[in-house]
Structures are given as C-alpha cells and as structure tokens.
Amino acid sequence: SLNGVKNDIDDLSASGGTNYANALNEAIARFVIDSNNSNLNGYINRSYFISDGEPTPGNEGDTTAWQAALSLY
C-alpha cells in the first residue's frame, strides 16, 4: 500500500557509504527481467533511486550504461 511504502521510506536511516553501481546494476537487471515477463504486459515499470548522499568513491556506477538502459525501458 502507499502508506506502507511511505512508512518504509520514513524508516530509512543513513549510514556508511552509498554504492551507486550496485543499485543501478540491480535496477537494470530488474528492468530486463520484467520486460521479458508477459504477465506484466501493460504495466509501467518505474524505479526510484533514493540515496543519503554522495556515492562512495569508486562506486559511482557507469552513467553511460545507465543512460542506455533508460532509453530501452
């Protein structure tokens, strides 16, 4: 439910670093898997990237790959 999602977001806490690369790679993988699932035809797959700050140095991710994936899905 929407309230459940809001509560989950409210319960987030910042700690340590943010590994953007892993998050973006997982999102791309989910989009690929979902795009091949006929049960999801007609649905819009959306992803929201929520972070507590700057990426941990060295874990920024490949913005070129992410932009290419966005244009496909």
Side-chain angles (χ1 to χ4, degrees):
S1 73
L2 181 57
N3 284 335
V5 170
K6 288 179 180 180
N7 289 336
D8 288 344
I9 291 172
D10 287 341
D11 289 342
L12 294 174
S13 63
S15 65
T18 301
N19 189 328
Y20 281 22
N22 282 351
L24 296 175
N25 288 337
E26 181 65 26
I28 291 169
R30 291 304 316 175
F31 274 90
V32 170
I33 291 167
D34 290 350
S35 70
N36 293 316
N37 184 341
S38 62
N39 292 324
L40 298 177
N41 288 345
Y43 287 91
I44 298 172
N45 192 342
R46 297 180 194 251
S47 181
Y48 298 91
F49 187 85
I50 301 171
S51 172
D52 61 348
E54 296 293 322
T56 302
N59 289 315
E60 296 90 348
D62 180 357
T63 56
T64 304
W66 178 242
Q67 291 294 331
L70 285 175
S71 68
L72 294 173
Y73 308 102

